[in-house]
Amino acid sequence: MAKELKDLTKRADNYSQWYNDLVIKADLAEQSAVRGCMVIKPYGYAIWEKMQRILDDMFKATGHVNAYFPLLIPKSFLSREAEHVEGFAKECAVVTHHRLMNDPEGKGVVVDPSARLDEELIIRPTSETIIWNTYKNWISSYRDLPILCNQWANVMRWEMRTRMFLRTAEFLWQEGHTAHATREEAEAEAVKMLNVYGDFAENYMAVPVIKGVKSANERFAGALETYTIEAMMQDGKALQSGTSHFLGQNFAKAFDVKFINKNNELEYVWATSWGVSTRLMGALIMTHSDDNGLVLPPKLAPIQVVIVPIYKSQEQLDTINNRVNPMVEKLRSMGISVKYDNADNKRPGFKFADYELKGVPVRLVLGARDLENGTIEVMRRDTLEKSTVAIDGIEEYVKTLLDDIQDNIFKKALNHRSEMTTYVDTYDEFKKQIEKGGFIMAHWDGTPETEEKIKEETKATIRCIPLEGDKTPGVCMVTGKPSKQRVVFARNY
Amino acid sequence: MAKELKDLTKRADNYSQWYNDLVIKADLAEQSAVRGCMVIKPYGYAIWEKMQRILDDMFKATGHVNAYFPLLIPKSFLSREAEHVEGFAKECAVVTHHRLMNDPEGKGVVVDPSARLDEELIIRPTSETIIWNTYKNWISSYRDLPILCNQWANVMRWEMRTRMFLRTAEFLWQEGHTAHATREEAEAEAVKMLNVYGDFAENYMAVPVIKGVKSANERFAGALETYTIEAMMQDGKALQSGTSHFLGQNFAKAFDVKFINKNNELEYVWATSWGVSTRLMGALIMTHSDDNGLVLPPKLAPIQVVIVPIYKSQEQLDTINNRVNPMVEKLRSMGISVKYDNADNKRPGFKFADYELKGVPVRLVLGARDLENGTIEVMRRDTLEKSTVAIDGIEEYVKTLLDDIQDNIFKKALNHRSEMTTYVDTYDEFKKQIEKGGFIMAHWDGTPETEEKIKEETKATIRCIPLEGDKTPGVCMVTGKPSKQRVVFARNY
């Protein structure tokens, strides 16, 4: 067994440590010299690139285009929208100077006090303000609408406690910012993008999510409505995985963005914004992986199939190479990414453990005996099951198996979520249940006060008010007041 | 003629103003509220995305992988490499605080003085320092080498004079950073990536470039050798379009990155770095465009073909639509990006001018008369020539035409460069010739002093010492001392 694997903490022993170990040992990311900022290593970045490419195609298929807006935001912009400043203007990186100079005492470089900026600049924590300041110049008539822009960018929030991928000071994300002529169109856009996120999470990441609306307490600073997809991790905690905001006319008012509507009247523009980030990497890792390492959905795995030869002589290796090379070519022509690892500086056992750790969905092993028998050994990473199958037609077999693994890990996660979801009607029962983790479906009277009380007493928050499913009214488990429908409570990342 | 086009300055009147006008009017980019930082608009970003995709594929085909390193660099890192700090630690954005607070006087937000960072952080002007600080942990043996990483990122240099795409405070780029076991391998890598850049410039951007080596004065701060591709703009000025640096062991020494080589000896690691940026957009615009607007090479045009119908009644439009729809489908199936603009809120003349301004390589116009005759009008953007051809087989015709346009604009640029390149043997002649612009091939004695004198007296710099072409020795035009070969002089952007 490989050294790296031996040191991986077991989930049952310490889930949090297991996660940290796995991020490091699977070569996904590591801490940098800058507090709270991570280095995304090539293997981790390859997964993020696959996510980006798929999401970008989905955005374009729904009519969006990409653009790029400045990294730095004038400090005064943040104060324009009253709620936004409360949410974002506090813990952030502030640029105050634009020059360094040689230290007069000869010790490296120091800030040049004469190069102080007239107005401080903030590294964007999110870009609504700079973008709406730009849209002001792009919009004058209903003919200029809608604007459907997205940007892929880095953003920075000076978080006190950071964890790789889940909460880092700098992170990578996409942020869509759209402008519309009517309230209805903007609301429909926010819901459309929520559905794109839900589709991506379930059909590519194989992560089941509940789509819903945030309560007022959990809304984005400056939004009238925040839609969210909420996933459940293996430890029963919730992870907010993507949000889509209906911003009303708040930012249009803050930046004075008006248009002439079809009735020739001047009106403020309606807005949405929506984003997912490298946090999705955390959701992916924590939903599927196990004590042997990563488990990746085939649709996002940088390497979908690895082939390892077993041989005792160069002659045997040559024979195996001759059989494997056309197999690799065939698999690639089918759009499957394959690595043939016939490097001779590592033993097969080491390779097996390493590819398990890295979550490669399918492993094929071919030895001299197999060649004689016309067979090949297949191992699927999700169940670790091995089987020996005919080498003829292996390419089609692998293709079907990859689809099967994609389906299976989604179902497994869905089953896990079902098992960890309980319906609770009393607050006493709630307090007991929340200690066991998972989603609790309970009635709530709709007030911020009750939500706050529950959070203080149990550390559970309302993850969302689900858009689909059971809408039966009831009474609040805490106050006994009327409730329109059950909402999802959980402790969360 | 469209309003936008009417206002475009002519190149002959004011080349610099023509460029600025064109960037704005073709919807490529605009100034933002932050000094020196631009907004890249969707049409401009679509061209950049095409560049990114092609370059990224070329990097991967040459064995590179992507990763991501932090935006912020501890101030002390910049001082580690003596030359690097001189080149990059001066005009840069300095983060000194990590929190804002409500203004005690009630006016928005102010910097919280208690949130001063122990060590200031610099927004990366380039990432050698933070990356080599990271590589230290990745490398211990020759088995860990080579490391072939690239990152796509934003960087910031506090430039005093900025021009959109050509020189902006924030810009987008890719930076490759590789680590090698031997000097030879690192040098070969630097040259390999120079050739990738040259291939991209000539075969995709249709911009002819001279590949060469920089003189010591023009070298990257911290490099032993800087390779460059130099392009000539229509006004005869040079534009440095991409650089690849052989860094020797400088950064390995600065960050103490050693490895055990095959002879079991401890040795410093050898390095390269290489980058191209959104500056390439400036090269693209200034090489091909004309007084009617952008001219884009088909391989980078977001829309390669636009089809405009001419009709007098809905019935005519319906007939045209029926003929065009399968044409669009066929063109798309051939991998050609097509826009069918049958919107009825703009007149054909407006559409024609707009697509010319945006540089769409091929325009097809179809009217009722054409349908009767079985013909279609084809306009190619590079020459503005119109012709009427048979509608049957138009798709193949267009495909061939796109290839032809790609070739033609490259040849046109190459001819322009030839016409604007002169061989000069005396300094007097040089001084006269440099006023006319263009590349001057002249002998130089190889000293920084002579180069500096020429720069001071003529504003011309040595763009590069060409790697290919005439290598005949001679005597320096200024000092009469021996010269190994002619070098390229020009005024530059």
Side-chain angles (χ1 to χ4, degrees), chain B residues 333-348:
Chain B
S333 75
M334 293 160 75
I336 295 168
S337 71
V338 193
K339 180 171 176 179
Y340 178 37
D341 187 352
N342 60 359
D344 64 359
N345 58 351
K346 287 167 188 158
R347 287 179 307 107

Side-chain angles (χ1 to χ4, degrees), chain A residues 400-418:
Chain A
T400 306
L401 181 58
L402 288 170
D403 290 343
D404 190 39
I405 293 170
Q406 182 81 29
D407 291 346
N408 181 54
I409 64 173
F410 177 73
K411 280 183 195 139
K412 200 170 158 187
L414 196 61
N415 285 341
H416 175 259
R417 189 181 75 183
S418 298

